[in-house]
């Protein structure tokens, strides 16, 4: 009902505010990449069971958000968030690292997390273990050769316990995805179960699509979620400058004000 909806909105808002703090305090990068997938992660982490399910962050430069949601679920201590990218910090860096509890595989070098997720899903199948493996990818990552190979292997082994979520924000580090390498977004996933989530920031739509339960039969599933890079702070929306740029003090105050509505 509406409680769930307003609950999602509140979780996502808090996540954006904390991630903004973490990135501003560390004067590090990838704010816009974090903001584009926070709504997806809000829904995902409210619905999965971390005892059985695994989340692989192939798009590992959204590490601040990954750590935020792991802390929210009690997997890592909340106070650890303040260590993010601080001088001398070895664990909580700007790309997800498996030295952190709840991070199963390092991500951030594109094309690494997804093949690992295929391995985890296959292992679950062979060991007759319950639960699903969710993998968060970027649309820039669809360029990568390992993405194509992993997609074919997942199909071959009928990994219907594998769900790929592509954060389709149309931008990658160096420009617009289509201008870097024009790949039909579904091409690597030719015979998978496929769906596009047009309203990629609408929590109830994401919830209905990802957790309908009707789509898995001997096939892995891929959801292309259309998002806005930098969503939540007007200056950063669709502004690829904020792939790397950290907010100034003025920008930080502006973003905070907007997020607090």
């Amino acid at each position: 009902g509406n409680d769930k909806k307003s609950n999602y909105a509140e979780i996502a808002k808090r996540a954006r505010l904390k991630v903004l703090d973490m990135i501003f305090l560390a004067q590090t990068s990838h704010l816009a990449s974090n903001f584009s997938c926070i709504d997806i992660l809000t829904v995902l982490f409210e619905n999965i069971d971390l005892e059985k399910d695994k989340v692989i962050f192939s798009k590992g430069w959204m590490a601040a958000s990954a750590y935020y949601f792991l802390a929210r679920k009690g997997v890592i201590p909340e106070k650890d968030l303040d260590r993010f990218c601080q001088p001398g910090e070895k664990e909580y860096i700007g790309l997800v690292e498996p030295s952190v509890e709840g991070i199963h595989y390092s991500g951030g070098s594109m094309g690494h997390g997804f093949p690992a997720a295929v391995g985890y899903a296959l292992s679950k199948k062979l060991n007759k273990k319950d639960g699903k493996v969710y993998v968060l990818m970027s649309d820039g990552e669809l360029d990568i050769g390992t993405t194509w190979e992993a997609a074919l292997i997942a199909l071959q082994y009928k990994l219907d316990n594998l769900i790929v979520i592509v954060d389709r924000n149309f931008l990658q580090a160096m420009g617009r995805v289509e201008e870097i390498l024009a790949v039909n977004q579904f091409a690597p996933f030719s015979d998978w179960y496929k769906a596009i989530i047009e309203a990629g920031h609408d929590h109830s739509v994401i919830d209905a699509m990802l957790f309908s339960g009707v789509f898995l039969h001997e096939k892995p599933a891929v959801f292309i979620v259309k998002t806005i890079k930098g969503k939540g702070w007007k200056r950063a929306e669709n502004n690829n400058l904020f792939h790397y740029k950290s907010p100034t003090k003025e920008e930080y105050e502006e973003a905070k004000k907007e997020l607090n509505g």
Side-chain angles (χ1 to χ4, degrees):
N2 274 345
D3 286 357
K4 198 172 183 186
K5 206 168 175 174
S6 54
N7 190 31
Y8 278 149
E10 186 57 34
I11 294 166
K13 173 181 153 177
R14 280 197 211 151
R16 282 191 173 88
L17 283 164
K18 183 62 179 179
V19 165
L20 173 69
D21 278 353
M22 288 162 72
I23 288 173
F24 172 67
L25 289 171
Q27 278 298 294
T28 183
S29 53
H30 305 120
L31 183 80
S33 305
N34 276 273
F35 276 19
S36 82
C37 63
I38 279 175
D39 296 308
I40 298 167
L41 295 176
T42 294
V43 175
L44 190 62
F45 274 84
E46 284 303 286
N47 286 281
I48 59 177
D49 175 356
L50 290 176
E51 297 289 305
K52 296 189 313 209
D53 300 319
K54 270 188 162 65
V55 181
I56 308 297
F57 305 100
S58 201
K59 177 192 145 130
W61 51 96
M62 39 58 74
S65 302
Y67 299 146
Y68 176 82
F69 283 98
L70 288 172
R72 201 183 126 68
K73 289 286 157 202
V75 178
I76 58 174
E78 204 156 318
K79 63 178 190 321
D80 280 13
L81 298 180
D82 299 330
R83 290 168 51 185
F84 181 71
C85 286
Q86 289 303 311
E89 178 59 49
K90 297 276 193 292
E91 287 187 281
Y92 293 97
I93 63 170
L95 301 173
V96 293
E97 286 290 330
S99 54
V100 174
E101 193 67 38
I103 302 294
H104 303 288
Y105 202 83
S106 60
S109 289
M110 294 213 303
H112 288 196
F114 174 35
V118 170
Y120 285 122
L122 180 57
S123 158
K124 271 188 183 297
K125 276 254 181 254
L126 294 173
N127 293 302
K128 298 188 168 39
K129 286 244 174 16
D130 280 347
K132 295 187 167 59
V133 178
Y134 295 88
V135 52
L136 179 70
M137 296 182 68
S138 72
D139 48 359
E141 220 172 350
L142 303 182
D143 300 353
I144 308 264
T146 48
T147 296
W148 296 63
E149 293 169 37
L152 292 170
I153 292 166
L155 190 67
Q156 175 90 11
Y157 287 99
K158 302 184 165 132
L159 300 181
D160 51 13
N161 58 347
L162 177 68
I163 297 166
V164 167
I165 301 167
V166 178
D167 180 9
R168 172 76 168 138
N169 62 29
F170 300 88
L171 289 163
Q172 62 193 86
M174 297 302 153
R176 291 196 62 76
V177 169
E178 270 60 16
E179 285 164 17
I180 307 272
L181 191 62
V183 173
N184 161 356
Q185 57 206 24
F186 284 136
F189 307 102
S190 53
D191 290 320
W192 285 44
Y193 172 87
K194 303 187 272 286
I196 291 182
I197 300 181
E198 295 283 352
H201 296 291
D202 184 325
H203 304 117
S204 39
V205 172
I206 299 169
D207 185 326
M209 295 285 283
L210 284 186
F211 297 100
S212 62
V214 296
F215 51 86
L216 296 174
H217 183 63
E218 296 205 335
K219 281 193 177 190
V222 56
F223 292 90
I224 307 281
V225 186
K226 290 191 179 171
T227 59
I228 293 166
K229 193 162 178 172
K231 174 70 176 175
W233 173 29
K234 288 283 179 285
R235 186 190 296 268
E237 288 183 359
N238 286 318
N239 180 355
N240 218 28
L241 186 63
F242 287 96
H243 185 86
Y244 289 123
K245 184 187 182 308
S246 204
T248 62
K249 185 84 172 91
E250 291 70 30
E251 288 170 339
Y252 168 71
E253 297 300 346
E254 175 189 283
K256 212 168 165 162
K257 207 167 132 186
E258 275 186 40
L259 288 167
N260 277 313

